[in-house]
Amino acid sequence: MNKYQVTPLALATLLACAPAWAQSNVTIYGAVDVAVGKFYQADATQIKEFNTGLQSSSRVNLQDSFVGFRGVEDLGGGLRAGFQLEQKFDASSGANDPQGAFARSSNVWLGGDWGRVTLGRAITPSYNAMASWDLMGMGNNSIAVRTFGAVGTGGQRQSNQISYRTPQMGGFVMEAAYAPKEDDLSKVDLSAIYIAGPLTVGAAYNKFSGLDANFALGAKYGYQNLEFTGAYYHSRNGRHYNPTTLQYVSNSIAGSNGFALGAKATWNQFSAGIDIARETKSEYTIGNSQFDAKKYTNVLLNGTYALSKRTKTYVNYMRAGGFNNYGIGLNHNF
């Protein structure tokens, strides 16, 4: 017997056909991003090569394909409440995110001049800090994410998260989050961002209980049509894969230190950028034994041409972990 469930895509269709929603404060938004390309991906057991074909929500795309719903209600006295729901999908096949409906975001928030409190699955503060300085805005093609993760294995998003974000104070914003224990692990996640004209400086930190901490420091500077970025990363609690067999080494915990440097130039609708991530330290432990691992220099080359404010064509080439990855794609935001 086939089972059917209402997905965000189906909801979007229903909402479009329902005149009553036209006067609400609910917004439907998202992106569709598909590329012709090839990439290597690691799962729990091995690093796998995918054949050249259509790629969606992969490292050679600019971003995930997803659909989202958000709403805001004015409660009066400067107080507002809102929600956000987002679901990723495979635009090459229409398949839903295997992580589940609304795995990208599922939260409710309350905010005002004093800041904002958010409850539920949401982007982590440390990821927001990295996005503030990352050359690719921490998009799917970010070489820093491919090399060091989202400040370790903390991830771009966190379930069961309670977060508070301050209002902007002279260009300075802080954010703190806590995730209560799940599978015996609780998490603290922090960020600080300072923006002064063309300069952005940020710091990111997160730590799961009982595990090593992860942190990153970075900056971005804009000059005329140019952008320059630099950052240092201290990443822990990852997986280690044997570089010869490409198999996951059982019970291993990997860590690396390193930096990323990038530059991007923009001419009218066209932009071109190069981002380099270099591991200065790479190691893994098994039990009480520690081993050195191969250090990689990973490179991203990106070219983007804006056909309109919402639609782009792009080329990504990523040399990461000794493997060549590429994508030539079309991205549309709505």
Side-chain angles (χ1 to χ4, degrees):
M1 179 181 293
N2 293 327
K3 295 183 179 180
Y4 298 90
Q5 58 178 331
V6 178
T7 67
L9 293 176
L11 284 174
T13 303
L14 292 174
L15 292 175
C17 298
W21 281 91
Q23 297 179 8
S24 76
N25 288 326
V26 175
T27 301
I28 303 172
Y29 64 98
V32 181
D33 188 319
V34 180
V36 177
K38 174 182 177 181
F39 74 107
Y40 287 77
Q41 184 178 34
D43 63 16
T45 60
Q46 64 181 335
I47 298 175
K48 299 185 296 184
E49 177 186 5
F50 288 79
N51 294 326
T52 299
L54 291 183
Q55 308 292 345
S56 175
S57 301
S58 78
R59 286 292 179 209
V60 297
N61 294 98
L62 289 184
Q63 65 182 122
D64 287 342
S65 293
F66 73 98
V67 63
F69 305 85
R70 59 177 171 233
V72 179
E73 181 183 11
D74 189 343
L75 302 176
L79 193 63
R80 300 183 303 278
F83 74 91
Q84 184 178 33
L85 300 169
E86 288 184 6
Q87 183 183 19
K88 181 174 71 174
F89 62 92
D90 186 337
S92 68
S93 66
N96 291 329
D97 186 355
Q99 293 186 6
F102 305 123
R104 275 180 57 95
S105 291
S106 177
N107 59 73
V108 64
W109 58 265
L110 190 67
D113 294 339
W114 45 267
R116 176 183 291 191
V117 173
T118 302
L119 307 175
R121 183 168 176 81
I123 292 177
T124 64
S126 54
Y127 191 90
N128 281 330
M130 290 180 69
S132 72
W133 72 66
D134 186 74
L135 188 69
M136 297 298 155
M138 291 294 279
N140 287 29
N141 59 339
S142 168
I143 200 66
V145 174
R146 176 63 182 80
T147 307
F148 305 107
V151 193
T153 57
Q156 178 181 0
R157 295 171 174 83
Q158 177 64 47
S159 297
N160 304 316
Q161 179 173 272
I162 305 166
S163 67
Y164 168 69
R165 181 182 179 92
T166 70
Q168 189 175 93
M169 301 172 290
F172 189 69
V173 175
M174 293 187 296
E175 190 174 5
Y178 175 73
K181 277 192 174 183
E182 181 180 9
D183 299 328
D184 296 325
L185 293 177
S186 59
K187 182 187 179 186
V188 173
D189 200 298
L190 307 171
S191 73
I193 302 170
Y194 176 72
I195 301 175
L199 175 66
T200 298
V201 180
Y205 172 92
N206 67 57
K207 186 180 187 305
F208 284 96
S209 58
L211 299 178
D212 292 336
N214 307 279
F215 64 86
L217 304 169
K220 178 172 66 175
Y221 183 77
Y223 176 73
Q224 296 183 0
N225 67 323
L226 302 175
E227 279 186 336
F228 303 95
T229 64
Y232 174 79
Y233 300 88
H234 177 92
S235 179
R236 295 297 182 267
N237 315 315
R239 291 178 177 271
H240 175 69
Y241 296 85
N242 186 297
T244 302
T245 66
L246 304 184
Q247 300 293 308
Y248 167 60
V249 178
S250 299
N251 302 316
S252 66
I253 300 176
S256 67
N257 296 352
F259 62 89
L261 297 172
K264 183 168 69 172
T266 301
W267 304 273
N268 298 319
Q269 296 100 323
F270 179 73
S271 68
I274 178 171
D275 211 2
I276 301 171
R278 170 62 181 172
E279 291 180 308
T280 56
K281 179 179 181 180
S282 182
E283 61 187 21
Y284 65 98
T285 59
I286 302 177
N288 295 322
S289 300
Q290 184 171 301
F291 306 90
D292 290 332
K294 184 176 181 179
K295 298 186 290 289
Y296 288 99
T297 299
N298 298 326
V299 180
L300 169 74
L301 298 175
N302 167 260
T304 302
Y305 184 82
L307 299 171
S308 70
K309 291 183 178 180
R310 295 181 176 271
T311 304
K312 302 175 183 177
T313 59
Y314 62 86
V315 176
N316 284 319
Y317 168 77
M318 182 183 291
R319 175 72 176 178
F323 299 111
N324 295 310
N325 312 267
Y326 66 88
I328 303 172
L330 180 65
N331 172 276
H332 175 74
N333 290 274
F334 60 89

